[in-house]
Amino acid sequence: MAIVETQGPSPINPVTFTTSEAVLDILNRLPPEAEAADRMLPAECYTSPAFFEFERQGVFARSWICVGRVEQLANHGDCISAQPAGEPIIVTRSNDKIHAMAAICRHRGQVIPCTGNQKTLRCPLHYWTYDLEGRLIGAPHIGREETAALRRSERLPPIRLELWHGFVFVNLDPNAEPLAPSLAKVEPFWAGYEAADLVGIPPKLADKPLPWNWKVHVENFTDAYHPEFVHRGTHDFAPSVLAEGGVVFTDMKPGDNAIVRTVPMLKPDGGMMRDGWGENPAFPPITTISAAQRQRLTFVMIPPSMTMVFAPNAIAFTLISATAVEETYASSDRQTAGGWLMPRSSVELADFRERAAMVLEGGAKIWAQDVPENMGMQKGKKSRFAPRGIYGPLETTLVQFNVWLINAYKQAAKP
Ligand code: FES
Ligand SMILES: [Fe+2]
């Protein structure tokens, strides 16, 4: 695994934004955290362009955002482009270190692309060139002495970066708290998985937005109440409600950045097959995890950018980004393809492609059931009759998400 260069505070200008009257009006109608369980958030949180801009600057630009996997940065010169909070950035591998930096040229601010693997980073407009750590190395026709001076002073601003189990996270806030402690509650669910020599298969990135707010998307993911009704035939094997047992929630403490639920499977070693969750999955079970892990699914939401499902034969993950109040991109086996961690022994199976196709078919069936629900939820938010509805006992994760949001909004609104 690559060694990460831990960046200190970077020379990024602090993000400043004004909180408009429209946003203040919405913020004033948020319940206190202690009452987050009582009612839904105001519908405008999901429909107001001004509120989305507030979230983008106040939440996304201050959160840890997953932009990919270390497998995408395996070799010197590998790079990833991403746009956390709409900000173009590049993550590079230079020898044994990974670096994140703003992809904004120090000349006149053109966006610098990266194409997967390259020796240097080059601005397309006037060919100012940077090394893989972001230091300026060349500026054509600027003059020898001037260029020498620029080489001393100019570099692409570094951005905070942290690896978590091979996931590459960045944070535009130079003063953000470290990521790993905020995900401590997820650690027990990793037990035994990495002993199986997991290989990360990044998702194909979505190129079309989904027409709903990002919160509608992750609420659908984390909602233990709806599978019984929406996912008939595809999710019955992993029910939230059973005569004995059923969904289990985890505590949410201040500073936690993970919202977790676990559901039992009717039999051990189930997983994703052609018709959704079932008894004879496409891939064999991971033998290094416990018997308890081999009979359950754990759904982990890491707001605002990622979701994961720990299954007996794989960990599936989704990368999420939002570009407008009703434009959400999701990349995973539900929406595009890939987004898996699997044992090398599974990835190297001769019929891997056929098996992966089965997973995609099953995932697509579940997703097809969710799409109309998300469309309907977004439409309902815009209705004059939109409720400040209540939450039932199967919706603990939604209440936890509300607490997370209320806290993030309050931090963002601080002068
Ligand atoms: S803007 Fe990048 S080289 Fe001119
Ligand atoms: Fe669903």
Side-chain angles (χ1 to χ4, degrees), residues 151-173:
R151 286 174 62 151
R152 285 191 292 276
S153 68
E154 296 303 319
R155 69 177 300 164
L156 302 175
I159 288 168
R160 290 277 301 281
L161 179 143
E162 199 172 316
L163 294 188
W164 182 74
H165 294 283
F167 290 102
V168 179
F169 281 83
V170 296
N171 196 320
L172 296 176
D173 179 359

mmCIF file with all atom_site columns, all heavy atoms in Angstrom, residues 151-173:
data_model
loop_
_atom_site.group_PDB
_atom_site.id
_atom_site.type_symbol
_atom_site.label_atom_id
_atom_site.label_alt_id
_atom_site.label_comp_id
_atom_site.label_asym_id
_atom_site.label_entity_id
_atom_site.label_seq_id
_atom_site.pdbx_PDB_ins_code
_atom_site.Cartn_x
_atom_site.Cartn_y
_atom_site.Cartn_z
_atom_site.occupancy
_atom_site.B_iso_or_equiv
_atom_site.pdbx_formal_charge
_atom_site.auth_seq_id
_atom_site.auth_comp_id
_atom_site.auth_asym_id
_atom_site.auth_atom_id
_atom_site.pdbx_PDB_model_num
ATOM 1   N N   . ARG A 1 151 ? 8.983   29.084 -10.413 1.00 0.00 ? 151 ARG A N   1
ATOM 2   C CA  . ARG A 1 151 ? 9.187   27.709 -9.948  1.00 0.00 ? 151 ARG A CA  1
ATOM 3   C C   . ARG A 1 151 ? 9.389   27.667 -8.443  1.00 0.00 ? 151 ARG A C   1
ATOM 4   O O   . ARG A 1 151 ? 9.056   26.681 -7.786  1.00 0.00 ? 151 ARG A O   1
ATOM 5   C CB  . ARG A 1 151 ? 10.390  27.073 -10.654 1.00 0.00 ? 151 ARG A CB  1
ATOM 6   C CG  . ARG A 1 151 ? 10.083  26.718 -12.097 1.00 0.00 ? 151 ARG A CG  1
ATOM 7   C CD  . ARG A 1 151 ? 11.307  26.226 -12.808 1.00 0.00 ? 151 ARG A CD  1
ATOM 8   N NE  . ARG A 1 151 ? 11.836  25.012 -12.215 1.00 0.00 ? 151 ARG A NE  1
ATOM 9   C CZ  . ARG A 1 151 ? 12.502  24.083 -12.883 1.00 0.00 ? 151 ARG A CZ  1
ATOM 10  N NH1 . ARG A 1 151 ? 12.719  24.244 -14.180 1.00 0.00 ? 151 ARG A NH1 1
ATOM 11  N NH2 . ARG A 1 151 ? 12.957  23.026 -12.292 1.00 0.00 ? 151 ARG A NH2 1
ATOM 12  N N   . ARG A 1 152 ? 9.959   28.732 -7.915  1.00 0.00 ? 152 ARG A N   1
ATOM 13  C CA  . ARG A 1 152 ? 10.143  28.771 -6.459  1.00 0.00 ? 152 ARG A CA  1
ATOM 14  C C   . ARG A 1 152 ? 8.836   29.075 -5.736  1.00 0.00 ? 152 ARG A C   1
ATOM 15  O O   . ARG A 1 152 ? 8.608   28.615 -4.633  1.00 0.00 ? 152 ARG A O   1
ATOM 16  C CB  . ARG A 1 152 ? 11.201  29.817 -6.089  1.00 0.00 ? 152 ARG A CB  1
ATOM 17  C CG  . ARG A 1 152 ? 12.630  29.365 -6.398  1.00 0.00 ? 152 ARG A CG  1
ATOM 18  C CD  . ARG A 1 152 ? 13.654  30.316 -5.769  1.00 0.00 ? 152 ARG A CD  1
ATOM 19  N NE  . ARG A 1 152 ? 13.660  31.642 -6.375  1.00 0.00 ? 152 ARG A NE  1
ATOM 20  C CZ  . ARG A 1 152 ? 14.331  31.958 -7.489  1.00 0.00 ? 152 ARG A CZ  1
ATOM 21  N NH1 . ARG A 1 152 ? 15.050  31.035 -8.106  1.00 0.00 ? 152 ARG A NH1 1
ATOM 22  N NH2 . ARG A 1 152 ? 14.277  33.173 -7.981  1.00 0.00 ? 152 ARG A NH2 1
ATOM 23  N N   . SER A 1 153 ? 7.962   29.846 -6.372  1.00 0.00 ? 153 SER A N   1
ATOM 24  C CA  . SER A 1 153 ? 6.790   30.329 -5.619  1.00 0.00 ? 153 SER A CA  1
ATOM 25  C C   . SER A 1 153 ? 5.498   29.564 -5.925  1.00 0.00 ? 153 SER A C   1
ATOM 26  O O   . SER A 1 153 ? 4.588   29.552 -5.099  1.00 0.00 ? 153 SER A O   1
ATOM 27  C CB  . SER A 1 153 ? 6.556   31.813 -5.904  1.00 0.00 ? 153 SER A CB  1
ATOM 28  O OG  . SER A 1 153 ? 6.148   32.001 -7.254  1.00 0.00 ? 153 SER A OG  1
ATOM 29  N N   . GLU A 1 154 ? 5.416   28.930 -7.097  1.00 0.00 ? 154 GLU A N   1
ATOM 30  C CA  . GLU A 1 154 ? 4.103   28.437 -7.510  1.00 0.00 ? 154 GLU A CA  1
ATOM 31  C C   . GLU A 1 154 ? 3.976   26.923 -7.417  1.00 0.00 ? 154 GLU A C   1
ATOM 32  O O   . GLU A 1 154 ? 4.846   26.189 -7.876  1.00 0.00 ? 154 GLU A O   1
ATOM 33  C CB  . GLU A 1 154 ? 3.814   28.870 -8.965  1.00 0.00 ? 154 GLU A CB  1
ATOM 34  C CG  . GLU A 1 154 ? 3.716   30.372 -9.145  1.00 0.00 ? 154 GLU A CG  1
ATOM 35  C CD  . GLU A 1 154 ? 2.664   31.010 -8.254  1.00 0.00 ? 154 GLU A CD  1
ATOM 36  O OE1 . GLU A 1 154 ? 1.572   30.436 -8.108  1.00 0.00 ? 154 GLU A OE1 1
ATOM 37  O OE2 . GLU A 1 154 ? 2.961   32.067 -7.677  1.00 0.00 ? 154 GLU A OE2 1
ATOM 38  N N   . ARG A 1 155 ? 2.891   26.506 -6.857  1.00 0.00 ? 155 ARG A N   1
ATOM 39  C CA  . ARG A 1 155 ? 2.523   25.085 -6.888  1.00 0.00 ? 155 ARG A CA  1
ATOM 40  C C   . ARG A 1 155 ? 1.006   24.986 -6.810  1.00 0.00 ? 155 ARG A C   1
ATOM 41  O O   . ARG A 1 155 ? 0.337   25.888 -6.315  1.00 0.00 ? 155 ARG A O   1
ATOM 42  C CB  . ARG A 1 155 ? 3.178   24.290 -5.769  1.00 0.00 ? 155 ARG A CB  1
ATOM 43  C CG  . ARG A 1 155 ? 2.686   24.608 -4.382  1.00 0.00 ? 155 ARG A CG  1
ATOM 44  C CD  . ARG A 1 155 ? 3.342   23.716 -3.345  1.00 0.00 ? 155 ARG A CD  1
ATOM 45  N NE  . ARG A 1 155 ? 3.066   22.313 -3.596  1.00 0.00 ? 155 ARG A NE  1
ATOM 46  C CZ  . ARG A 1 155 ? 3.750   21.311 -3.031  1.00 0.00 ? 155 ARG A CZ  1
ATOM 47  N NH1 . ARG A 1 155 ? 4.743   21.568 -2.212  1.00 0.00 ? 155 ARG A NH1 1
ATOM 48  N NH2 . ARG A 1 155 ? 3.442   20.055 -3.296  1.00 0.00 ? 155 ARG A NH2 1
ATOM 49  N N   . LEU A 1 156 ? 0.484   23.902 -7.311  1.00 0.00 ? 156 LEU A N   1
ATOM 50  C CA  . LEU A 1 156 ? -0.962  23.678 -7.202  1.00 0.00 ? 156 LEU A CA  1
ATOM 51  C C   . LEU A 1 156 ? -1.265  23.471 -5.723  1.00 0.00 ? 156 LEU A C   1
ATOM 52  O O   . LEU A 1 156 ? -0.614  22.653 -5.064  1.00 0.00 ? 156 LEU A O   1
ATOM 53  C CB  . LEU A 1 156 ? -1.378  22.458 -8.031  1.00 0.00 ? 156 LEU A CB  1
ATOM 54  C CG  . LEU A 1 156 ? -1.020  22.561 -9.518  1.00 0.00 ? 156 LEU A CG  1
ATOM 55  C CD1 . LEU A 1 156 ? -1.353  21.254 -10.251 1.00 0.00 ? 156 LEU A CD1 1
ATOM 56  C CD2 . LEU A 1 156 ? -1.742  23.727 -10.180 1.00 0.00 ? 156 LEU A CD2 1
ATOM 57  N N   . PRO A 1 157 ? -2.225  24.221 -5.186  1.00 0.00 ? 157 PRO A N   1
ATOM 58  C CA  . PRO A 1 157 ? -2.456  24.150 -3.734  1.00 0.00 ? 157 PRO A CA  1
ATOM 59  C C   . PRO A 1 157 ? -2.770  22.737 -3.263  1.00 0.00 ? 157 PRO A C   1
ATOM 60  O O   . PRO A 1 157 ? -3.668  22.083 -3.803  1.00 0.00 ? 157 PRO A O   1
ATOM 61  C CB  . PRO A 1 157 ? -3.657  25.082 -3.528  1.00 0.00 ? 157 PRO A CB  1
ATOM 62  C CG  . PRO A 1 157 ? -3.616  26.019 -4.680  1.00 0.00 ? 157 PRO A CG  1
ATOM 63  C CD  . PRO A 1 157 ? -3.085  25.225 -5.831  1.00 0.00 ? 157 PRO A CD  1
ATOM 64  N N   . PRO A 1 158 ? -2.017  22.244 -2.274  1.00 0.00 ? 158 PRO A N   1
ATOM 65  C CA  . PRO A 1 158 ? -2.293  20.894 -1.761  1.00 0.00 ? 158 PRO A CA  1
ATOM 66  C C   . PRO A 1 158 ? -3.623  20.831 -1.016  1.00 0.00 ? 158 PRO A C   1
ATOM 67  O O   . PRO A 1 158 ? -4.078  21.830 -0.440  1.00 0.00 ? 158 PRO A O   1
ATOM 68  C CB  . PRO A 1 158 ? -1.127  20.612 -0.815  1.00 0.00 ? 158 PRO A CB  1
ATOM 69  C CG  . PRO A 1 158 ? -0.406  21.874 -0.621  1.00 0.00 ? 158 PRO A CG  1
ATOM 70  C CD  . PRO A 1 158 ? -0.861  22.867 -1.633  1.00 0.00 ? 158 PRO A CD  1
ATOM 71  N N   . ILE A 1 159 ? -4.207  19.680 -1.024  1.00 0.00 ? 159 ILE A N   1
ATOM 72  C CA  . ILE A 1 159 ? -5.508  19.454 -0.389  1.00 0.00 ? 159 ILE A CA  1
ATOM 73  C C   . ILE A 1 159 ? -5.379  18.284 0.561   1.00 0.00 ? 159 ILE A C   1
ATOM 74  O O   . ILE A 1 159 ? -4.646  17.324 0.287   1.00 0.00 ? 159 ILE A O   1
ATOM 75  C CB  . ILE A 1 159 ? -6.571  19.202 -1.485  1.00 0.00 ? 159 ILE A CB  1
ATOM 76  C CG1 . ILE A 1 159 ? -6.870  20.519 -2.207  1.00 0.00 ? 159 ILE A CG1 1
ATOM 77  C CG2 . ILE A 1 159 ? -7.848  18.604 -0.920  1.00 0.00 ? 159 ILE A CG2 1
ATOM 78  C CD1 . ILE A 1 159 ? -7.667  20.361 -3.457  1.00 0.00 ? 159 ILE A CD1 1
ATOM 79  N N   . ARG A 1 160 ? -6.093  18.347 1.681   1.00 0.00 ? 160 ARG A N   1
ATOM 80  C CA  . ARG A 1 160 ? -6.035  17.263 2.675   1.00 0.00 ? 160 ARG A CA  1
ATOM 81  C C   . ARG A 1 160 ? -6.461  15.945 2.052   1.00 0.00 ? 160 ARG A C   1
ATOM 82  O O   . ARG A 1 160 ? -7.447  15.895 1.298   1.00 0.00 ? 160 ARG A O   1
ATOM 83  C CB  . ARG A 1 160 ? -6.972  17.571 3.849   1.00 0.00 ? 160 ARG A CB  1
ATOM 84  C CG  . ARG A 1 160 ? -6.536  18.705 4.728   1.00 0.00 ? 160 ARG A CG  1
ATOM 85  C CD  . ARG A 1 160 ? -5.516  18.284 5.771   1.00 0.00 ? 160 ARG A CD  1
ATOM 86  N NE  . ARG A 1 160 ? -5.994  17.240 6.662   1.00 0.00 ? 160 ARG A NE  1
ATOM 87  C CZ  . ARG A 1 160 ? -6.799  17.451 7.697   1.00 0.00 ? 160 ARG A CZ  1
ATOM 88  N NH1 . ARG A 1 160 ? -7.235  18.665 7.973   1.00 0.00 ? 160 ARG A NH1 1
ATOM 89  N NH2 . ARG A 1 160 ? -7.180  16.452 8.486   1.00 0.00 ? 160 ARG A NH2 1
ATOM 90  N N   . LEU A 1 161 ? -5.753  14.906 2.409   1.00 0.00 ? 161 LEU A N   1
ATOM 91  C CA  . LEU A 1 161 ? -6.024  13.584 1.842   1.00 0.00 ? 161 LEU A CA  1
ATOM 92  C C   . LEU A 1 161 ? -5.853  12.546 2.938   1.00 0.00 ? 161 LEU A C   1
ATOM 93  O O   . LEU A 1 161 ? -4.963  12.672 3.775   1.00 0.00 ? 161 LEU A O   1
ATOM 94  C CB  . LEU A 1 161 ? -5.030  13.340 0.704   1.00 0.00 ? 161 LEU A CB  1
ATOM 95  C CG  . LEU A 1 161 ? -5.101  12.010 -0.032  1.00 0.00 ? 161 LEU A CG  1
ATOM 96  C CD1 . LEU A 1 161 ? -4.818  12.251 -1.505  1.00 0.00 ? 161 LEU A CD1 1
ATOM 97  C CD2 . LEU A 1 161 ? -4.108  11.010 0.518   1.00 0.00 ? 161 LEU A CD2 1
ATOM 98  N N   . GLU A 1 162 ? -6.724  11.572 2.944   1.00 0.00 ? 162 GLU A N   1
ATOM 99  C CA  . GLU A 1 162 ? -6.570  10.480 3.906   1.00 0.00 ? 162 GLU A CA  1
ATOM 100 C C   . GLU A 1 162 ? -7.023  9.177  3.253   1.00 0.00 ? 162 GLU A C   1
ATOM 101 O O   . GLU A 1 162 ? -8.014  9.172  2.527   1.00 0.00 ? 162 GLU A O   1
ATOM 102 C CB  . GLU A 1 162 ? -7.405  10.777 5.165   1.00 0.00 ? 162 GLU A CB  1
ATOM 103 C CG  . GLU A 1 162 ? -6.968  9.956  6.365   1.00 0.00 ? 162 GLU A CG  1
ATOM 104 C CD  . GLU A 1 162 ? -7.663  10.374 7.662   1.00 0.00 ? 162 GLU A CD  1
ATOM 105 O OE1 . GLU A 1 162 ? -7.790  11.589 7.941   1.00 0.00 ? 162 GLU A OE1 1
ATOM 106 O OE2 . GLU A 1 162 ? -8.091  9.449  8.389   1.00 0.00 ? 162 GLU A OE2 1
ATOM 107 N N   . LEU A 1 163 ? -6.277  8.121  3.505   1.00 0.00 ? 163 LEU A N   1
ATOM 108 C CA  . LEU A 1 163 ? -6.696  6.794  3.039   1.00 0.00 ? 163 LEU A CA  1
ATOM 109 C C   . LEU A 1 163 ? -7.400  6.076  4.170   1.00 0.00 ? 163 LEU A C   1
ATOM 110 O O   . LEU A 1 163 ? -6.963  6.135  5.322   1.00 0.00 ? 163 LEU A O   1
ATOM 111 C CB  . LEU A 1 163 ? -5.488  5.958  2.612   1.00 0.00 ? 163 LEU A CB  1
ATOM 112 C CG  . LEU A 1 163 ? -4.700  6.403  1.402   1.00 0.00 ? 163 LEU A CG  1
ATOM 113 C CD1 . LEU A 1 163 ? -3.670  5.342  1.046   1.00 0.00 ? 163 LEU A CD1 1
ATOM 114 C CD2 . LEU A 1 163 ? -5.621  6.674  0.222   1.00 0.00 ? 163 LEU A CD2 1
ATOM 115 N N   . TRP A 1 164 ? -8.484  5.403  3.822   1.00 0.00 ? 164 TRP A N   1
ATOM 116 C CA  . TRP A 1 164 ? -9.220  4.593  4.796   1.00 0.00 ? 164 TRP A CA  1
ATOM 117 C C   . TRP A 1 164 ? -9.538  3.258  4.132   1.00 0.00 ? 164 TRP A C   1
ATOM 118 O O   . TRP A 1 164 ? -10.339 3.211  3.207   1.00 0.00 ? 164 TRP A O   1
ATOM 119 C CB  . TRP A 1 164 ? -10.493 5.330  5.227   1.00 0.00 ? 164 TRP A CB  1
ATOM 120 C CG  . TRP A 1 164 ? -11.321 4.628  6.250   1.00 0.00 ? 164 TRP A CG  1
ATOM 121 C CD1 . TRP A 1 164 ? -11.045 4.487  7.582   1.00 0.00 ? 164 TRP A CD1 1
ATOM 122 C CD2 . TRP A 1 164 ? -12.579 3.964  6.020   1.00 0.00 ? 164 TRP A CD2 1
ATOM 123 N NE1 . TRP A 1 164 ? -12.058 3.782  8.191   1.00 0.00 ? 164 TRP A NE1 1
ATOM 124 C CE2 . TRP A 1 164 ? -13.012 3.457  7.269   1.00 0.00 ? 164 TRP A CE2 1
ATOM 125 C CE3 . TRP A 1 164 ? -13.391 3.771  4.906   1.00 0.00 ? 164 TRP A CE3 1
ATOM 126 C CZ2 . TRP A 1 164 ? -14.201 2.750  7.409   1.00 0.00 ? 164 TRP A CZ2 1
ATOM 127 C CZ3 . TRP A 1 164 ? -14.572 3.064  5.046   1.00 0.00 ? 164 TRP A CZ3 1
ATOM 128 C CH2 . TRP A 1 164 ? -14.978 2.557  6.292   1.00 0.00 ? 164 TRP A CH2 1
ATOM 129 N N   . HIS A 1 165 ? -8.881  2.208  4.579   1.00 0.00 ? 165 HIS A N   1
ATOM 130 C CA  . HIS A 1 165 ? -9.069  0.877  3.985   1.00 0.00 ? 165 HIS A CA  1
ATOM 131 C C   . HIS A 1 165 ? -8.964  0.921  2.459   1.00 0.00 ? 165 HIS A C   1
ATOM 132 O O   . HIS A 1 165 ? -9.745  0.286  1.752   1.00 0.00 ? 165 HIS A O   1
ATOM 133 C CB  . HIS A 1 165 ? -10.421 0.287  4.406   1.00 0.00 ? 165 HIS A CB  1
ATOM 134 C CG  . HIS A 1 165 ? -10.502 -0.009 5.879   1.00 0.00 ? 165 HIS A CG  1
ATOM 135 N ND1 . HIS A 1 165 ? -9.906  -1.106 6.454   1.00 0.00 ? 165 HIS A ND1 1
ATOM 136 C CD2 . HIS A 1 165 ? -11.074 0.675  6.897   1.00 0.00 ? 165 HIS A CD2 1
ATOM 137 C CE1 . HIS A 1 165 ? -10.129 -1.102 7.760   1.00 0.00 ? 165 HIS A CE1 1
ATOM 138 N NE2 . HIS A 1 165 ? -10.823 -0.032 8.062   1.00 0.00 ? 165 HIS A NE2 1
ATOM 139 N N   . GLY A 1 166 ? -8.009  1.692  1.956   1.00 0.00 ? 166 GLY A N   1
ATOM 140 C CA  . GLY A 1 166 ? -7.792  1.751  0.508   1.00 0.00 ? 166 GLY A CA  1
ATOM 141 C C   . GLY A 1 166 ? -8.702  2.725  -0.219  1.00 0.00 ? 166 GLY A C   1
ATOM 142 O O   . GLY A 1 166 ? -8.561  2.906  -1.430  1.00 0.00 ? 166 GLY A O   1
ATOM 143 N N   . PHE A 1 167 ? -9.630  3.343  0.466   1.00 0.00 ? 167 PHE A N   1
ATOM 144 C CA  . PHE A 1 167 ? -10.450 4.384  -0.149  1.00 0.00 ? 167 PHE A CA  1
ATOM 145 C C   . PHE A 1 167 ? -9.721  5.722  -0.026  1.00 0.00 ? 167 PHE A C   1
ATOM 146 O O   . PHE A 1 167 ? -9.161  6.034  1.028   1.00 0.00 ? 167 PHE A O   1
ATOM 147 C CB  . PHE A 1 167 ? -11.823 4.483  0.532   1.00 0.00 ? 167 PHE A CB  1
ATOM 148 C CG  . PHE A 1 167 ? -12.716 3.308  0.248   1.00 0.00 ? 167 PHE A CG  1
ATOM 149 C CD1 . PHE A 1 167 ? -12.882 2.298  1.192   1.00 0.00 ? 167 PHE A CD1 1
ATOM 150 C CD2 . PHE A 1 167 ? -13.373 3.186  -0.965  1.00 0.00 ? 167 PHE A CD2 1
ATOM 151 C CE1 . PHE A 1 167 ? -13.692 1.200  0.929   1.00 0.00 ? 167 PHE A CE1 1
ATOM 152 C CE2 . PHE A 1 167 ? -14.175 2.092  -1.242  1.00 0.00 ? 167 PHE A CE2 1
ATOM 153 C CZ  . PHE A 1 167 ? -14.338 1.095  -0.294  1.00 0.00 ? 167 PHE A CZ  1
ATOM 154 N N   . VAL A 1 168 ? -9.743  6.492  -1.106  1.00 0.00 ? 168 VAL A N   1
ATOM 155 C CA  . VAL A 1 168 ? -9.045  7.778  -1.134  1.00 0.00 ? 168 VAL A CA  1
ATOM 156 C C   . VAL A 1 168 ? -10.067 8.871  -0.819  1.00 0.00 ? 168 VAL A C   1
ATOM 157 O O   . VAL A 1 168 ? -11.030 9.076  -1.570  1.00 0.00 ? 168 VAL A O   1
ATOM 158 C CB  . VAL A 1 168 ? -8.438  8.036  -2.529  1.00 0.00 ? 168 VAL A CB  1
ATOM 159 C CG1 . VAL A 1 168 ? -7.722  9.385  -2.554  1.00 0.00 ? 168 VAL A CG1 1
ATOM 160 C CG2 . VAL A 1 168 ? -7.492  6.907  -2.916  1.00 0.00 ? 168 VAL A CG2 1
ATOM 161 N N   . PHE A 1 169 ? -9.865  9.517  0.300   1.00 0.00 ? 169 PHE A N   1
ATOM 162 C CA  . PHE A 1 169 ? -10.758 10.611 0.709   1.00 0.00 ? 169 PHE A CA  1
ATOM 163 C C   . PHE A 1 169 ? -10.002 11.931 0.650   1.00 0.00 ? 169 PHE A C   1
ATOM 164 O O   . PHE A 1 169 ? -8.815  11.985 1.004   1.00 0.00 ? 169 PHE A O   1
ATOM 165 C CB  . PHE A 1 169 ? -11.238 10.405 2.143   1.00 0.00 ? 169 PHE A CB  1
ATOM 166 C CG  . PHE A 1 169 ? -12.357 9.413  2.308   1.00 0.00 ? 169 PHE A CG  1
ATOM 167 C CD1 . PHE A 1 169 ? -12.089 8.057  2.386   1.00 0.00 ? 169 PHE A CD1 1
ATOM 168 C CD2 . PHE A 1 169 ? -13.676 9.829  2.398   1.00 0.00 ? 169 PHE A CD2 1
ATOM 169 C CE1 . PHE A 1 169 ? -13.111 7.129  2.555   1.00 0.00 ? 169 PHE A CE1 1
ATOM 170 C CE2 . PHE A 1 169 ? -14.711 8.918  2.569   1.00 0.00 ? 169 PHE A CE2 1
ATOM 171 C CZ  . PHE A 1 169 ? -14.424 7.563  2.648   1.00 0.00 ? 169 PHE A CZ  1
ATOM 172 N N   . VAL A 1 170 ? -10.678 12.985 0.243   1.00 0.00 ? 170 VAL A N   1
ATOM 173 C CA  . VAL A 1 170 ? -10.092 14.327 0.281   1.00 0.00 ? 170 VAL A CA  1
ATOM 174 C C   . VAL A 1 170 ? -11.027 15.245 1.065   1.00 0.00 ? 170 VAL A C   1
ATOM 175 O O   . VAL A 1 170 ? -12.221 14.963 1.222   1.00 0.00 ? 170 VAL A O   1
ATOM 176 C CB  . VAL A 1 170 ? -9.889  14.907 -1.145  1.00 0.00 ? 170 VAL A CB  1
ATOM 177 C CG1 . VAL A 1 170 ? -8.892  14.074 -1.922  1.00 0.00 ? 170 VAL A CG1 1
ATOM 178 C CG2 . VAL A 1 170 ? -11.206 15.033 -1.887  1.00 0.00 ? 170 VAL A CG2 1
ATOM 179 N N   . ASN A 1 171 ? -10.466 16.338 1.549   1.00 0.00 ? 171 ASN A N   1
ATOM 180 C CA  . ASN A 1 171 ? -11.276 17.319 2.273   1.00 0.00 ? 171 ASN A CA  1
ATOM 181 C C   . ASN A 1 171 ? -10.759 18.712 1.919   1.00 0.00 ? 171 ASN A C   1
ATOM 182 O O   . ASN A 1 171 ? -9.566  18.994 2.075   1.00 0.00 ? 171 ASN A O   1
ATOM 183 C CB  . ASN A 1 171 ? -11.178 17.068 3.786   1.00 0.00 ? 171 ASN A CB  1
ATOM 184 C CG  . ASN A 1 171 ? -12.286 17.776 4.544   1.00 0.00 ? 171 ASN A CG  1
ATOM 185 O OD1 . ASN A 1 171 ? -12.641 18.912 4.225   1.00 0.00 ? 171 ASN A OD1 1
ATOM 186 N ND2 . ASN A 1 171 ? -12.835 17.106 5.543   1.00 0.00 ? 171 ASN A ND2 1
ATOM 187 N N   . LEU A 1 172 ? -11.636 19.558 1.422   1.00 0.00 ? 172 LEU A N   1
ATOM 188 C CA  . LEU A 1 172 ? -11.228 20.908 1.024   1.00 0.00 ? 172 LEU A CA  1
ATOM 189 C C   . LEU A 1 172 ? -10.963 21.810 2.221   1.00 0.00 ? 172 LEU A C   1
ATOM 190 O O   . LEU A 1 172 ? -10.399 22.895 2.070   1.00 0.00 ? 172 LEU A O   1
ATOM 191 C CB  . LEU A 1 172 ? -12.313 21.544 0.139   1.00 0.00 ? 172 LEU A CB  1
ATOM 192 C CG  . LEU A 1 172 ? -12.571 20.853 -1.208  1.00 0.00 ? 172 LEU A CG  1
ATOM 193 C CD1 . LEU A 1 172 ? -13.730 21.532 -1.929  1.00 0.00 ? 172 LEU A CD1 1
ATOM 194 C CD2 . LEU A 1 172 ? -11.332 20.865 -2.082  1.00 0.00 ? 172 LEU A CD2 1
ATOM 195 N N   . ASP A 1 173 ? -11.394 21.357 3.396   1.00 0.00 ? 173 ASP A N   1
ATOM 196 C CA  . ASP A 1 173 ? -11.204 22.177 4.595   1.00 0.00 ? 173 ASP A CA  1
ATOM 197 C C   . ASP A 1 173 ? -9.861  21.835 5.232   1.00 0.00 ? 173 ASP A C   1
ATOM 198 O O   . ASP A 1 173 ? -9.688  20.729 5.756   1.00 0.00 ? 173 ASP A O   1
ATOM 199 C CB  . ASP A 1 173 ? -12.346 21.892 5.575   1.00 0.00 ? 173 ASP A CB  1
ATOM 200 C CG  . ASP A 1 173 ? -12.213 22.693 6.857   1.00 0.00 ? 173 ASP A CG  1
ATOM 201 O OD1 . ASP A 1 173 ? -11.221 23.447 6.999   1.00 0.00 ? 173 ASP A OD1 1
ATOM 202 O OD2 . ASP A 1 173 ? -13.099 22.562 7.724   1.00 0.00 ? 173 ASP A OD2 1
#
